């Protein structure tokens, strides 16, 4: 099948492209390389079934000019657009909410606009737990009202909404994945990545945002891709599906992650917490995911949050030159 992956040079998009290619699909990957890197797609770039397009999906006129001719020239209909492009720079989005509007929402809106030129096409969106905002208890897919507390979460919720509307007009089907914290090699951001970058700069002391008591679920990227592929394959005739994807546990605390990162770095750095119950404006310090719907559909994670974090720390420590 012919697939399009937006945000292909990023952390998750690059792993997804590798999996789609390994399963025998053809992939057109799109990225403006604002956060992603060519290095992340080194393997894909050598694959004859992969085509990389450097294009900015927030600029509709430019995207129409750059993307549509390549898709038309592919000689077959696109089966699914996997929309992974978004702003993953949380701090940047807090300082300037227009970044989330541009890279998280406008990329979705414009991707859907480009999809008007395709027939029988499906979309798969990487959404987020941030759409839920703050709720007591476990987050199920039916919890509401959805009142995100970050602009990023708001732009993802808006993305889910325009996708839902587009199914009524020109899309065949939509799969919406609500991701937890995803970790693993090629990470471009996130707590493990940030701590390793800080340790490379100052190996004596590392600053951790918040009081370290934030507790969240973490999933390794390899299991995330398994789950996304499982949901996509088993959608059947349903027009829209929404699934939480995550580990089957209560998560792991940031203080524990920081200790594991310092140990793996071999620096012996002191850990200094900035204090307060959250890391940044819009951070949801604790949440618990219900993955019952996904388990009922037939997919279960293999690893705990702690195991996923430990594996990712090993992978990223090597990538960042600590081992
Ligand atoms: N990593 C996580 O923990 C996590 C959690 C929840 C949701 N998600 C979602 O998963 C998706 C992938 O995230 P990631 O962690 O791989 O982030 P990432 O930053 O590594 O990947 C996103 C990619 O999108 C590209 N991009 C951004 N704006 C673009 C634009 N205007 N035009 C074209 N390309 C553009 C970036 O260059 C980057 O390569 C995102 O939609 C993100 O919101 C990730």
């Amino acid at each position: 099948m012919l697939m399009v992956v937006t945000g292909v040079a990023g952390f998750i998009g690059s792993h997804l492209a590798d999996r789609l290619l390994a399963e025998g699909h053809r992939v057109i990957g799109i990225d403006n390389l604002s956060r992603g890197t060519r290095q992340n797609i080194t393997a894909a770039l050598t694959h004859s079934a992969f085509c990389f397009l450097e294009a900015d999906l927030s600029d509709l006129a430019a995207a129409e000019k750059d993307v549509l001719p390549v898709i038309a020239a592919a000689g077959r209909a696109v089966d699914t657009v996997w929309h992974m492009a978004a702003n993953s720079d949380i701090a940047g989005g807090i300082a300037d909410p227009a970044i989330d509007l541009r890279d998280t929402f406008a990329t979705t809106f414009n991707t859907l606009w480009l999809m008007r030129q395709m027939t029988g096409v499906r979309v798969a969106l990487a959404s987020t737990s941030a759409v839920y905002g703050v709720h007591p208890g476990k987050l199920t897919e039916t919890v509401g009202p959805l009142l995100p507390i970050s602009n990023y979460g708001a732009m993802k919720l808006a993305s889910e909404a325009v996708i839902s509307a587009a199914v009524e007009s020109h899309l065949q089907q939509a799969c919406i994945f609500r991701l937890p914290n995803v970790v693993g090699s090629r990470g471009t951001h996130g707590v493990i990545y940030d701590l390793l970058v800080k340790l490379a700069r100052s190996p004596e002391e590392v600053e951790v945002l918040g009081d370290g008591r934030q507790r969240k679920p973490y999933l390794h990227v390899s299991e995330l891709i398994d789950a996304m592929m499982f949901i996509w394959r088993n959608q059947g005739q349903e027009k829209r599906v929404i699934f939480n994807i995550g580990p089957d546990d209560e998560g792991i605390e940031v203080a524990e992650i920081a200790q594991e990162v310092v140990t793996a770095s071999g620096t012996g750095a002191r850990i200094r917490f900035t204090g307060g119950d959250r890391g940044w404006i819009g951070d949801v310090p604790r949440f618990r995911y219900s993955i019952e719907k996904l388990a009922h559909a037939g997919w279960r994670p293999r690893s705990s949050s702690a195991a996923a974090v430990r594996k990712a720390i090993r992978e990223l420590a090597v990538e960042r030159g600590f081992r």
Side-chain angles (χ1 to χ4, degrees), residues 4-7 16 57 81-86 103-109 111 123-127 156 159 163:
V4 172
V5 178
T6 74
L16 174 64
L57 289 166
V81 174
W82 300 79
H83 182 47
M84 304 291 124
D103 289 336
T104 302
F105 182 69
T107 57
T108 309
F109 187 87
T111 298
V123 71
L125 172 75
S127 190
K156 280 290 188 189
S159 296
I163 284 177

Side-chain angles (χ1 to χ4, degrees), residues 7-13 30-37 55-58 83-88 102-103 107 126-129 152 156 179-182 188-189:
V8 74
F11 165 44
I12 294 171
I30 304 171
D31 203 296
N32 67 351
L33 300 180
S34 57
R35 312 263 316 149
T37 61
D56 184 353
L57 289 166
S58 71
H83 182 47
M84 304 291 124
N87 171 42
S88 60
R102 185 189 69 205
D103 289 336
T107 57
S127 190
T128 165
S129 57
Y152 165 72
K156 280 290 188 189
L179 278 45
N181 289 283
V182 186
T188 57
H189 57 95

Side-chain angles (χ1 to χ4, degrees), residues 160-233:
E160 291 188 5
V162 281
I163 284 177
S164 173
V167 170
E168 222 46 34
S169 57
H170 62 285
L171 294 191
Q172 186 82 11
Q173 288 180 312
C175 262
I176 293 172
F177 312 117
R178 290 186 176 154
L179 278 45
N181 289 283
V182 186
V183 290
S185 66
R186 305 180 194 160
T188 57
H189 57 95
V191 60
I192 300 171
Y193 174 90
D194 285 348
L195 293 178
L196 287 169
V197 169
K198 284 179 186 172
L199 282 166
R201 271 201 309 261
S202 63
E204 297 80 30
E205 183 179 90
V206 66
E207 180 191 85
V208 175
L209 302 178
D211 59 8
R213 303 295 312 280
Q214 306 99 298
R215 177 182 284 277
K216 304 175 192 187
Y218 291 80
L219 189 69
H220 192 267
V221 65
S222 55
E223 292 198 47
L224 170 74
I225 307 290
D226 289 346
M228 295 201 301
M229 298 299 290
F230 174 87
I231 295 166
W232 172 77
R233 264 196 212 100

Side-chain angles (χ1 to χ4, degrees), residues 7 20 38 62 128 146-147 159 165 187 190 247 259 265 277 285 311 313 322:
L20 291 170
R38 280 181 190 274
T128 165
L146 297 185
L147 296 170
S159 296
Q259 190 53 61
S265 72
D277 71 344
K311 184 173 175 188
I313 291 173
F322 281 100

